[in-house]
């Protein structure tokens, strides 16, 4: 299994209110095609000051941001007196500000205003196709966002439009930040407020206190990590079918259980709904109208694959690096450690697939299978796969 990239970020000391964004009169026809990356991020094309860029749609970000490399390429001028701080998953980060002349994608255009300038996570480029821009709620929050996952496209519409029928779920904008908030049920426990975060590739993350309050019996929980803009995030992990959204069951989903402090406390939320859950639907996010609307996606993904190896892996120059050893799994019981390097799997050298991704399907294969792994120092190990959460 591959560790998730989580881009939720709240920027402090924000610049003055940005100029109003405008939608063209033919907004309904202005679909924006996107690619769903390996990290479950929505990557699309846009322009800033006439310079083309690859962007990610990130509703967990309250001010749109560009990488420092893009700021240089687009010749944006950074305000020398405008440095601020941002709260991100994993820790705090430095934020600068740069003025822009124009921003455009789909039906939206903006003249003037500013963007944040930050260091994007190092793993982001390889996982999300060299994206350089994160589009946050400052650009899209005044409009209805219609995401058609089945056809890999989205569009911005005037708030209040209902382009399709579906289940309505309460949604609001958080005072002071403009982040999207909703709620869900875990068993008989209402979890709220939940940040709706398309920058989070997971399904549902909740604070540990919410998990305890839900009192789900018989659940087996392991450990996992993800990479936030501010560093590594540790969490518990389970798979559950006890979540409902708008009164409708979501089906089995991965549930991350995070600490009560850090990002969750500073942003004042009980957890996050990520793209891994949203892509089960066609989704309308319209906080100005007070609602999220979801309709089943006919091409929704199958139930989540569980790791049977207990290894979270990353690609590192024709090697697999062990990023985390999951608690209670076969790898933990066999004594595996983080940062060990794997060079061959069942005698085959580690390599990227033709699509540029990592094939680690063996790590979710049938329990009982024995996988032969050769470390890059020449040591050979056998790992017997098993169910453990």
């Amino acid at each position: 299994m591959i560790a998730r990239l989580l881009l939720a970020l709240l920027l402090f000391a924000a610049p003055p209110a940005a100029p109003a964004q405008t939608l063209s009169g033919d907004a309904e026809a202005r679909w924006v095609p996107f690619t769903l990356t390996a990290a479950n991020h929505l990557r699309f094309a846009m322009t800033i000051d006439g310079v083309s860029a690859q962007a990610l749609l990130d509703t967990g970000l309250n001010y749109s941001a560009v990488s420092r490399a893009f700021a240089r390429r687009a010749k944006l001028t950074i305000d020398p007196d405008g440095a601020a701080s941002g709260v991100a998953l994993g820790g705090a980060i430095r934020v600068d500000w740069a003025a822009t002349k124009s921003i455009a994608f789909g039906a939206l255009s903006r003249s003037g205003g500013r963007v944040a300038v930050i260091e994007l996570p190092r793993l982001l480029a390889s996982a999300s196709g060299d994206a350089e821009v994160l589009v946050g709620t400052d650009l899209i929050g005044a409009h209805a966002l219609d995401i058609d996952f089945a056809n890999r496209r989205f569009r911005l519409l005037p708030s209040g439009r209902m382009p399709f029928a579906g289940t309505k779920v309460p949604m609001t904008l958080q005072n002071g930040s403009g982040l999207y908030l909703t709620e869900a049920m875990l068993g008989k426990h209402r979890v709220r407020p939940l940040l709706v975060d398309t920058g989070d590739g997971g399904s549902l993350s909740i604070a540990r206190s919410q998990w305890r309050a839900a009192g789900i019996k018989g659940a087996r929980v392991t450990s996992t990590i993800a990479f936030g803009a501010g560093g590594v995030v540790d969490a518990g992990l389970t798979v559950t079918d006890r979540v409902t959204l708008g009164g409708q069951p979501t089906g089995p989903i991965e549930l991350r259980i995070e600490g009560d402090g850090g990002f969750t406390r500073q942003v004042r939320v009980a957890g996050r709904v990520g793209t891994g859950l949203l892509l089960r639907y066609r989704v309308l996010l319209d906080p100005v109208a007070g609602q999220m609307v979801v309709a089943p996606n006919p091409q929704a993904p199958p139930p989540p694959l569980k790791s049977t190896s207990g290894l979270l892996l990353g690609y590192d120059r024709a090697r697999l690096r062990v990023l985390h050893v999951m608690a209670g799994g076969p790898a933990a019981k066999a004594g595996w450690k983080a940062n060990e390097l794997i060079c061959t799997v069942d005698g085959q050298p580690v390599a990227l697939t033709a699509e540029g991704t990592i094939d680690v399907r063996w790590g979710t294969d049938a329990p009982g299978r024995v996988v032969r792994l050769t470390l890059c120092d020449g040591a050979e190990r056998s790992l017997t796969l098993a169910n453990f959460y």
Side-chain angles (χ1 to χ4, degrees):
M1 295 183 72
I2 304 299
R4 291 291 187 192
L5 288 171
L6 312 178
L7 302 179
L9 175 65
L10 180 66
L11 304 186
F12 291 144
Q21 299 87 33
T22 60
L23 296 182
S24 61
D26 61 345
E28 285 85 355
R30 292 292 192 97
W31 288 101
V32 179
F34 68 81
T35 301
L36 192 66
T37 73
N40 277 351
H41 296 146
L42 283 65
R43 179 166 57 87
F44 63 98
M46 66 177 298
T47 61
I48 297 180
D49 290 2
V51 179
S52 298
Q54 290 295 311
L56 303 181
L57 189 64
D58 187 1
T59 60
L61 178 65
N62 64 331
Y63 277 94
S64 298
V66 303
S67 69
R68 298 191 184 278
F70 178 81
R72 292 190 294 269
R73 184 163 70 85
K75 298 180 180 178
L76 302 182
T77 301
I78 294 178
D79 181 353
D81 300 319
S85 63
V87 174
L89 283 162
I93 65 170
R94 176 188 170 92
V95 179
D96 291 297
W97 299 99
T100 60
K101 300 182 184 69
S102 64
I103 291 179
F105 61 91
L108 182 139
S109 60
R110 187 183 85 177
S111 297
R114 292 186 175 191
V115 292
V117 182
I118 64 174
E119 289 290 349
L120 295 183
R122 186 174 299 176
L123 287 176
L124 183 60
S126 60
S128 292
D130 296 320
E132 298 176 293
V133 180
L134 305 179
V135 170
T137 59
D138 61 317
L139 283 173
I140 62 177
H143 315 293
L145 172 63
D146 179 8
I147 308 177
D148 180 3
F149 282 103
N151 293 296
R152 297 294 191 264
R153 60 183 187 171
F154 72 85
R155 59 183 173 177
L156 292 171
L157 302 171
S159 177
R161 296 286 175 88
M162 284 287 292
F164 61 91
T167 299
K168 294 183 180 181
V169 187
M171 169 167 277
T172 60
L173 288 172
Q174 187 182 53
N175 290 335
S177 75
L179 295 174
Y180 294 3
L181 302 180
T182 190
E183 63 183 46
M185 297 292 293
L186 175 58
K188 297 181 179 180
H189 176 65
R190 189 179 304 276
V191 185
R192 63 181 179 189
L194 288 171
L195 172 64
V196 179
D197 183 7
T198 59
D200 183 342
S203 292
L204 179 63
S205 302
I206 63 172
R208 189 171 292 116
S209 57
Q210 299 292 320
W211 173 251
R212 289 195 296 264
I216 302 300
K217 304 296 185 183
R220 293 194 292 174
V221 179
T222 182
S223 63
T224 188
I225 61 169
F227 293 91
V232 178
V233 182
D234 297 299
L237 175 68
T238 190
V239 173
T240 182
D241 61 359
R242 301 291 304 279
V243 176
T244 57
L245 197 61
Q248 301 298 315
T250 63
I253 60 169
E254 283 191 344
L255 175 67
R256 291 170 48 90
I257 305 163
E258 299 179 352
D260 294 322
F263 183 83
T264 297
R265 175 175 294 174
Q266 293 186 63
V267 183
R268 308 186 312 279
V269 296
R272 301 182 309 282
V273 173
T275 305
L277 177 54
L278 297 179
L279 62 80
R280 294 172 173 264
Y281 309 97
R282 180 171 174 180
V283 180
L284 182 74
L285 304 179
D286 191 355
V288 175
Q291 64 183 12
M292 173 168 66
V293 182
V294 295
N297 176 0
Q299 299 178 22
L305 286 174
K306 292 185 179 182
S307 172
T308 49
S309 67
L311 292 172
L312 290 184
L313 302 166
Y315 185 74
D316 183 357
R317 295 173 295 176
R319 305 171 297 182
L320 292 175
R321 181 178 294 275
V322 177
L323 303 177
H324 177 72
V325 181
M326 302 170 73
K333 293 178 180 178
W336 284 76
K337 303 296 182 185
N339 290 317
E340 291 185 301
L341 295 170
I342 300 169
C343 276
T344 71
V345 179
D346 284 337
Q348 298 299 312
V350 170
L352 292 175
T353 67
E355 294 76 26
T357 59
I358 313 168
D359 186 357
V360 290
R361 288 174 295 181
W362 55 268
T364 58
D365 213 340
R369 176 186 166 185
V370 177
V371 183
R372 294 182 294 109
L373 301 170
T374 304
L375 274 64
C376 297
D377 64 3
E380 296 185 357
R381 298 181 187 173
S382 294
L383 186 62
T384 303
L385 305 182
N387 289 322
F388 62 100
Y389 69 101

